[in-house]
C-alpha cells in the first residue's frame, strides 16, 4: 500500500532527521571561549539544519524555496546548503524521488549555487562510497561548463570542500589534530578536501585567529596553502572575526596570503550572487584585497573566463591559481603605493 504524504514525512524525519544538539559547540567539543562567537557558530549550524529538514518535509520545490526565503539574509545561504544535503540524500535513498537535487540546483529561484554544491558534499559524506563514485566525474574529461547552476559545472568540485568540512566538523580531532586524509580520494581531489578542512577551522577553533594560525602550522607545509584558502572562505562568508583578527590572520598567512585571498574571493562571489552582502564580507575584502567586495567578486568571474576546461578538477585548480596570481599582482602594486599596508612579509 502507498503511504500517504504525512506518513512519508514522518518516515523521512525518523530515518534522516538530525538533532539540533549535533551542531552545538559542546556536543562537538569545539574550542570556543567567546559566548558571542559560540552563538554565531551555533546559529549557522541551526540554519543549516533548518534548511536540511525543510528539504525532507517539503513535497515540491516551490514550497521548499518559499520556506528558505523566510530565513534571515545573512544565514540564508547556510539553509540552502542544508537543503542541498537533504535533497541529495533523498535522491539516493528514495528511488521514486530522483532528480530533487538537480532540480534544486538548476532552479532560477536558487541564488546560492555555490553553497548548493557544497551541501552535496555533506550528503556524499553520509552515503557509503558516495564521494568515491562522485570523484570519477570530477577527474573524467567531458562536457564541463562555467555555469554555476549545473551538475557539469567545474563548481561541482565544491562538493569536495563540503565533504572536507563535514568530516572535520564531525570528527575534528581526527582530521585537524591527527590530519587524516581519505585514502580513496585521487591526489588532485585532496587540495579541495583540504580547503573544506580549512573552512571548518573557524568553527572547530571558536573563530579564534591565534588558534587557527597555530593549527595550520602543524599541517605539512605543502598542504598549508589549501587550508589557508578554506580559512579565507570562512572569514569572508561566515564571519565572526573582528577586523583586527582578520589582520592577524593575514600576517600569519605570510607566504600563503594569496591562498587566503583566493578563499576570500570565492566567498565574495558567493555572497554577491546571493544578493545580500553582510558587513563582515565587505570588511574582509577591504582588509585582504584592498578592494570593494563587488570588484573582488568580479575577479572570480574574469579569471574563470580564461580557464581551460579539461577535467572539472584541473579547471578548478587552474581557476584558484589564477585568482592567487591576481592577488600577487595587485599586492605588488599596493605595496609600492601604500606604505601603511599591513606588513605580511
Amino acid at each position: 500500500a502507498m503511504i500517504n504524504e504525512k506518513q512519508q514525512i514522518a518516515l523521512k524525519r525518523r530515518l534522516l532527521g538530525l538533532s539540533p544538539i549535533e551542531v552545538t559547540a559542546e556536543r562537538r567539543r569545539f574550542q570556543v571561549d567567546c559566548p558571542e562567537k559560540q552563538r554565531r557558530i551555533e546559529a549557522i549550524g541551526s540554519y543549516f539544519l533548518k534548511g536540511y529538514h525543510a528539504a525532507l518535509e517539503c513535497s515540491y520545490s516551490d514550497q521548499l524555496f518559499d520556506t528558505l526565503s523566510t530565513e534571515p539574509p545573512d544565514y540564508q545561504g547556510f539553509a540552502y546548503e542544508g537543503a542541498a544535503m537533504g535533497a541529495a540524500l533523498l535522491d539516493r535513498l528514495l528511488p521514486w524521488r530522483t532528480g530533487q537535487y538537480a532540480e534544486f540546483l538548476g532552479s532560477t529561484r536558487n541564488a546560492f549555487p555555490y553553497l548548493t554544491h557544497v551541501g552535496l558534499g555533506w550528503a556524499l559524506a553520509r552515503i557509503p562510497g558516495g564521494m568515491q563514485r562522485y570523484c570519477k566525474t570530477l577527474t573524467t574529461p567531458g562536457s564541463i561548463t562555467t555555469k554555476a547552476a549545473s551538475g557539469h559545472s567545474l563548481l561541482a568540485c565544491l562538493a569536495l570542500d563540503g565533504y572536507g568540512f563535514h568530516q572535520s566538523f564531525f570528527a575534528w580531532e581526527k582530521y585537524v589534530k591527527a590530519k587524516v586524509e581519505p585514502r580513496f580520494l585521487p591526489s588532485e581531489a585532496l587540495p579541495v578536501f583540504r580547503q573544506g578542512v580549512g573552512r571548518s577551522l573557524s568553527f572547530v577553533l571558536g573563530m579564534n585567529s591565534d588558534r587557527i594560525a597555530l593549527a595550520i602550522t602543524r599541517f605539512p607545509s605543502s598542504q598549508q596553502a589549501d587550508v589557508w584558502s578554506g580559512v579565507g572562505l570562512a572569514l569572508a562568508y561566515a564571519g565572526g572575526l573582528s577586523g583586527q583578527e582578520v589582520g592577524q590572520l593575514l600576517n600569519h598567512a605570510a607566504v600563503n596570503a594569496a591562498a587566503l585571498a583566493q578563499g576570500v574571493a570565492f566567498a565574495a562571489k558567493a555572497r554577491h550572487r546571493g544578493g545580500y552582502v553582510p558587513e563582515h564580507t565587505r570588511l574582509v575584502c577591504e582588509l585582504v584585497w584592498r578592494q570593494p567586495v563587488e570588484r573582488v567578486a568580479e575577479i572570480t568571474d574574469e579569471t574563470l573566463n580564461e580557464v581551460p576546461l579539461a577535467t572539472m578538477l584541473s579547471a578548478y585548480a587552474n581557476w584558484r591559481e589564477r585568482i592567487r596570481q591576481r592577488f600577487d599582482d595587485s599586492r605588488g602594486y599596493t605595496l609600492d603605493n601604500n606604505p601603511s599596508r599591513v606588513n605580511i612579509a
Side-chain angles (χ1 to χ4, degrees), residues 79-98:
Y80 267 78
E81 193 181 333
M85 176 191 178
L89 277 178
L90 290 175
D91 273 356
R92 285 158 175 79
L93 300 174
L94 308 179
W96 64 90
R97 284 274 310 254
T98 53

Side-chain angles (χ1 to χ4, degrees), residues 4 37 52 54 58 83 108 121 134 152 210 266 285 303 310:
N4 69 27
K37 289 177 177 180
Y52 172 70
C58 292
T108 51
Y134 185 75
H152 296 288
D210 292 334
F266 273 11
C285 287
T303 45

Side-chain angles (χ1 to χ4, degrees), residues 34-290:
C34 166
E36 200 183 329
K37 289 177 177 180
Q38 180 166 341
R39 276 194 296 276
R40 176 95 184 152
I41 289 164
E42 292 179 344
I44 288 169
S46 71
Y47 282 107
F48 179 96
L49 283 186
K50 281 175 87 169
Y52 172 70
H53 288 125
L56 301 186
E57 286 164 22
C58 292
S59 328
Y60 51 93
S61 67
D62 268 346
Q63 187 187 6
L64 177 56
F65 285 114
D66 289 346
T67 307
L68 295 172
S69 70
T70 62
E71 304 302 359
D74 190 6
Y75 291 100
Q76 217 168 61
F78 301 108
Y80 267 78
E81 193 181 333
M85 176 191 178
L89 277 178
L90 290 175
D91 273 356
R92 285 158 175 79
L93 300 174
L94 308 179
W96 64 90
R97 284 274 310 254
T98 53
Q100 299 296 305
Y101 172 78
E103 188 187 337
F104 180 68
L105 172 66
S107 168
T108 51
R109 293 190 67 181
N110 186 341
F112 300 94
Y114 284 68
L115 284 100
T116 302
H117 289 293
V118 172
L120 172 62
W122 280 69
L124 294 171
R126 293 181 172 238
I127 296 163
M131 189 42 95
Q132 205 162 355
R133 285 192 296 277
Y134 185 75
C135 274
K136 290 194 172 69
T137 60
L138 302 182
T139 51
T140 310
S143 57
I144 302 168
T145 172
T146 56
K147 287 188 180 66
S150 158
H152 296 288
S153 169
L154 68 112
L155 288 165
C157 296
L158 285 169
L160 275 165
D161 177 311
Y163 177 69
F165 185 96
H166 174 283
Q167 298 306 76
S168 184
F169 186 88
F170 289 104
W172 69 273
E173 280 103 338
K174 180 176 177 183
Y175 292 94
V176 177
K177 273 191 167 166
K179 296 170 203 43
V180 170
E181 295 200 315
R183 289 223 180 94
F184 66 81
L185 285 181
S187 60
E188 63 265 51
L190 287 170
V192 200
F193 172 82
R194 288 176 200 133
Q195 179 181 295
V197 173
R199 197 162 54 83
S200 80
L201 293 183
S202 235
F203 294 78
V204 305
L205 302 176
M207 295 180 167
N208 179 299
S209 55
D210 292 334
R211 271 203 291 263
I212 292 168
L214 182 62
I216 299 177
T217 62
R218 296 182 172 143
F219 280 83
S221 56
S222 60
Q223 298 177 13
Q224 290 179 14
D226 294 321
V227 180
W228 274 113
S229 143
V231 168
L233 235 165
L235 276 185
Y237 198 94
L241 284 85
S242 69
Q244 188 186 355
E245 291 171 304
V246 173
Q248 286 167 343
L249 277 170
L250 192 54
N251 275 325
H252 283 303
V255 294
N256 292 311
L260 173 84
Q262 176 264 306
V264 169
F266 273 11
K269 176 62 187 175
R271 280 292 190 184
H272 195 258
R273 171 91 190 240
Y276 171 81
V277 181
E279 208 37 61
H280 66 254
T281 306
R282 295 186 185 282
L283 176 71
V284 174
C285 287
E286 292 285 352
L287 288 171
V288 174
W289 278 88
R290 297 282 159 138

